[in-house]
Amino acid sequence: MGAVDLPHPLTGQAFPSPVPPGTGWPEDPAAPGTRAARSAGGVRRLAATDDLAELEARVSVCSACPRLVRWREDVARDKRASFADQPYWGRPIPGWGDPRARILVVGLAPAANGGNRTGRVFTGDSSGDWLFASLHRVGLATMATSTHAGDGQRLLDTRMVATVRCAPPDNKPTPEERDTCAPWLHTELRLLAPYVRVVVALGAYGWAGALTGLAGLGLDVPRPRPRFGHAAEVGIGGVTLLGSYHPSQHNTFTGRLAPDMLDGVFRRAQALAAGPAGADTMPR
């Protein structure tokens, strides 16, 4: 099955799974010759760019973590039965949204049959359904759903990133994989620093990744580090870090996270982001 090219759900163009870079997948930032990191050192070298579009392209072809490469590509080839008629992106997921966003949403990693399938972070799974519905309700997304890269969805003054850019087995990257991937996030934070006023961290993992990234910018992160909690709020330099329970099925099915709780975090982010641009207070 994996060797058969399948039609993209939106465009009808046939693709293999995983999708080679620069072959026409909607919103693919890479070209066939985009340089790919193949080790932790390679990630550090290739993350050292001042061009956000080039960073997105390099993220999307990274192959630095062998276990994650095997997993994301195995899932792409074998496919969940409900998506067996679709091609899978099967590559790392770059950040997505407004390149001058005042609000940055930071999560854990793409879902194996969500972003790893659709090619866009937080897109195509139940967590994303909750997230985009909330963003739309508060006015930060143009549509209430996000089904696939190229579906016309746009984020308003908002950008999304994952701390780890590949789908990990059991949603659990190793500490080594987390650290190998970290330079991509740190560079993205640096390039967004003139604009970002609020970072919304989804779950404890997103919270920890955001704190590490902000510390990497030279901002004065409190010691001991602030603890994660839903609606937790801490000022760090010119940025406010907000916490939200992750919209995972476990949290939403059990009622730990309700729609009004998620909306409340994003409404608070909007209010904070209405302040002066971050260029005055954050290092570049």
Side-chain angles (χ1 to χ4, degrees):
M1 182 86 166
V4 177
D5 290 3
L6 296 170
H8 189 279
L10 299 179
T11 69
Q13 181 179 344
F15 292 97
S17 303
V19 176
T23 52
W25 187 275
E27 300 179 15
D28 185 351
T34 297
R35 297 169 64 193
R38 305 190 187 282
S39 66
V43 172
R44 289 192 296 271
R45 288 189 296 274
L46 292 179
T49 177
D50 293 325
D51 185 326
L52 184 60
E54 182 62 23
L55 181 75
E56 293 172 354
R58 294 176 182 181
V59 167
S60 76
V61 296
C62 182
S63 61
C65 299
R67 187 182 77 114
L68 297 187
V69 172
R70 286 193 302 271
W71 174 254
R72 77 191 191 210
E73 294 188 354
D74 284 349
V75 171
R77 282 187 291 264
D78 296 340
K79 308 182 193 307
R80 177 179 285 179
S82 53
F83 302 123
D85 60 343
Q86 298 183 19
Y88 270 54
W89 170 258
R91 286 164 42 199
I93 310 294
W96 178 75
D98 189 340
R100 296 190 173 191
R102 287 175 176 242
I103 299 170
L104 181 67
V105 180
V106 180
L108 167 55
N113 295 284
N116 190 56
R117 172 177 59 88
T118 65
R120 182 195 286 160
V121 65
F122 295 117
T123 293
D125 61 24
S126 61
S127 295
D129 291 344
W130 268 68
L131 183 60
F132 281 101
S134 179
L135 290 168
H136 183 256
R137 285 192 296 269
V138 305
L140 295 175
T142 59
M143 300 192 303
T145 60
S146 181
T147 59
H148 223 289
D151 62 4
Q153 175 68 278
R154 288 190 306 112
L155 297 180
L156 305 175
D157 206 21
T158 302
R159 188 172 177 85
M160 298 175 162
V161 297
T163 305
V164 173
R165 305 305 174 99
C166 293
D170 300 318
N171 290 321
K172 294 179 181 178
T174 67
E176 181 181 5
E177 290 162 351
R178 175 202 63 199
D179 295 345
T180 295
C181 205
W184 298 127
L185 177 60
H186 294 175
T187 296
E188 196 151 356
L189 283 168
R190 175 174 61 80
L191 297 179
L192 296 171
Y195 318 106
V196 168
R197 294 286 294 152
V198 184
V199 176
V200 177
L202 301 179
Y205 201 106
W207 179 269
L211 284 172
T212 299
L214 292 170
L217 287 177
L219 299 182
D220 188 15
V221 174
R223 294 284 185 177
R225 288 194 170 189
R227 295 184 63 180
F228 169 75
H230 186 80
E233 181 174 327
V234 59
I236 301 173
V239 176
T240 301
L241 177 62
L242 295 178
S244 173
Y245 291 142
H246 193 285
S248 65
Q249 287 188 335
H250 173 75
N251 286 340
T252 58
F253 285 177
T254 61
R256 189 183 193 209
L257 180 66
D260 63 322
M261 294 170 64
L262 191 56
D263 292 358
V265 169
F266 284 121
R267 292 193 193 283
R268 176 60 176 159
Q270 278 183 307
L272 292 167
D280 296 333
T281 50
M282 286 186 66
R284 297 177 183 230

